[in-house]
């Protein structure tokens, strides 16, 4: 099982260990593209702080993040699973998993990134600011930039097993499963169900959507679940107590779409 995750804007401070070693990152086929984005980002931030702030979509209060991007080659790095601190990662809580579950996480979790393309949770990277929606001078929109290199490496990374796609829309732009891989891929939407005047209403709540996805991945890792395809994933999630609605795609070469329905927000 390969689980595709979005990154988070929230990140821990730089680590105290060695700085970034690009050659040590997973998916080495992305090395050239990573170097191009890293060079472009650092050139932008070094040339004009105000322009960089605008291009990166940072508020005035986050101006300091521009300067931090200039330290990407020298700042202490830490495992990506420790670096990201957003809602999904707080719910996933990798640090508290037992040894076997952490080992499974290291093999199965892949985090998409505007700067790195995609990394595994054990890959050591420094804190950065560069979302997939950014348009870097000379490279253009990163979602489009990453499509070709990701198309080269992702089929091999996916292998012949299930792909559980939990990415947000900005990050799905960088790679969309095709053909046989798509047929083994399941994307998940979390819906909050509540009764309003006796009528069920369903809605997507961003914060809760992320938290539920984090807990769902955590539960699968703890259980040692090994679903081979979307249908087996539905069974595994139901066995873990989740309410899941799903139908097989009507056409070949399409991904499965799963709705996880919850009644409590926390």
């Amino acid at each position: 099982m390969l689980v595709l995750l979005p990154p988070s804007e929230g990140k821990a401070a730089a680590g105290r260990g060695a700085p970034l070693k690009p050659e040590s990152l997973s998916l080495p086929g992305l090395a050239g593209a990573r170097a191009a984005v890293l060079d472009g980002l650092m050139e932008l931030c070094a040339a004009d702080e105000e322009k960089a702030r605008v291009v990166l979509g940072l508020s005035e209060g986050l101006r300091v993040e521009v300067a931090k991007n200039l330290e990407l080659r020298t700042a202490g790095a830490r495992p990506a699973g420790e670096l990201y601190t957003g809602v999904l990662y707080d719910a996933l809580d990798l640090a508290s998993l037992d040894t076997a579950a952490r080992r499974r996480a290291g093999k199965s979790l892949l985090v998409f990134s505007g700067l790195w393309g995609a990394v595994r949770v054990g890959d050591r990277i420094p804190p950065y600011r560069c979302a997939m929606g950014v348009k870097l001078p000379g490279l253009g929109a990163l979602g489009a930039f990453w499509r070709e290199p990701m198309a080269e490496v992702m089929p091999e990374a996916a292998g012949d097993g299930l792909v559980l796609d939990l990415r947000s829309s900005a990050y799905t732009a960088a790679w969309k499963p095709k053909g046989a891989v798509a047929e083994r891929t399941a994307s998940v939407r979390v819906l909050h169900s509540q009764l309003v005047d006796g009528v069920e209403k369903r809605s997507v709540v961003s914060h809760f959507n992320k938290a539920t996805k984090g807990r769902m991945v955590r539960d699968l890792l703890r259980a040692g679940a090994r679903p081979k395809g979307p249908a087996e994933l539905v069974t595994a999630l139901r066995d873990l107590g989740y309410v899941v609605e799903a139908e097989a795609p009507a056409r070949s070469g399409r991904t499965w779409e799963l709705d996880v329905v919850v009644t409590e927000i926390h």
Side-chain angles (χ1 to χ4, degrees):
M1 177 172 66
L2 182 67
V3 182
L4 310 182
L5 299 175
S8 67
E9 290 189 6
K11 298 178 182 69
R16 296 183 178 180
L20 172 71
K21 296 180 179 179
E23 68 278 5
S24 72
L25 298 179
S26 301
L27 306 181
L30 298 178
R34 286 169 176 154
V37 179
L38 181 59
D39 288 345
L41 177 61
M42 295 187 71
E43 289 173 7
L44 168 70
C45 293
D48 186 327
E49 183 180 88
E50 177 60 18
K51 178 181 178 181
R53 183 186 70 80
V54 173
V55 169
L56 297 176
L58 302 175
S59 66
E60 183 63 37
L62 292 175
R63 179 181 291 271
V64 66
E65 299 295 325
V66 175
K68 288 183 180 179
N69 276 347
L70 295 176
E71 302 172 356
L72 286 170
R73 290 193 175 92
T74 57
R78 63 171 68 214
E82 296 178 10
L83 181 72
Y84 297 114
T85 60
V87 174
L88 187 154
Y89 293 90
D90 288 346
L92 176 55
D93 196 9
L94 288 170
S96 69
L97 291 173
D98 61 39
T99 301
R102 287 200 302 272
R103 187 180 302 115
R104 288 189 283 269
K107 293 180 179 179
S108 62
L109 305 188
L110 195 65
V111 185
F112 272 61
S113 162
L115 176 53
W116 313 113
V119 293
R120 297 196 182 274
V121 290
D123 288 339
R124 297 178 61 86
I125 55 176
Y128 67 95
R129 281 281 182 163
C130 187
M132 190 66 79
V134 165
K135 294 182 179 180
L136 279 183
L139 297 182
L142 292 179
F145 171 83
W146 281 111
R147 285 174 196 159
E148 183 174 345
M150 294 300 289
E152 293 292 327
V153 304
M154 284 304 300
E156 181 179 355
D160 57 3
L162 168 72
V163 177
L164 174 53
D165 191 352
L166 302 179
R167 298 173 296 166
S168 53
S169 59
Y171 291 87
T172 60
W175 181 66
K176 294 183 179 180
K178 297 181 178 179
V181 178
E183 294 175 3
R184 300 193 307 272
T185 298
S187 61
V188 173
R189 179 176 62 167
V190 179
L191 298 177
H192 177 222
S193 173
Q194 56 185 329
L195 289 178
V196 179
D197 297 328
V199 179
E200 184 192 28
K201 301 290 185 180
R202 292 183 175 184
S203 60
V204 176
V205 182
S206 179
H207 176 99
F208 181 60
N209 172 60
K210 296 175 183 177
T212 300
K213 288 179 177 179
R215 285 192 291 269
M216 185 174 65
V217 174
R218 177 181 176 84
D219 288 343
L220 289 168
L221 292 171
R222 291 181 65 192
R226 295 182 178 180
K228 296 181 179 180
E232 292 85 354
L233 173 65
V234 172
T235 299
L237 290 173
R238 287 173 176 167
D239 288 344
L240 290 168
Y242 290 90
V243 177
V244 183
E245 298 178 354
E247 291 185 4
R251 297 171 57 185
S252 61
R254 299 294 181 90
T255 63
W256 286 54
E257 294 183 0
L258 278 55
D259 284 342
V260 174
V261 184
V262 296
T263 56
E264 296 181 0
I265 294 181
H266 60 91

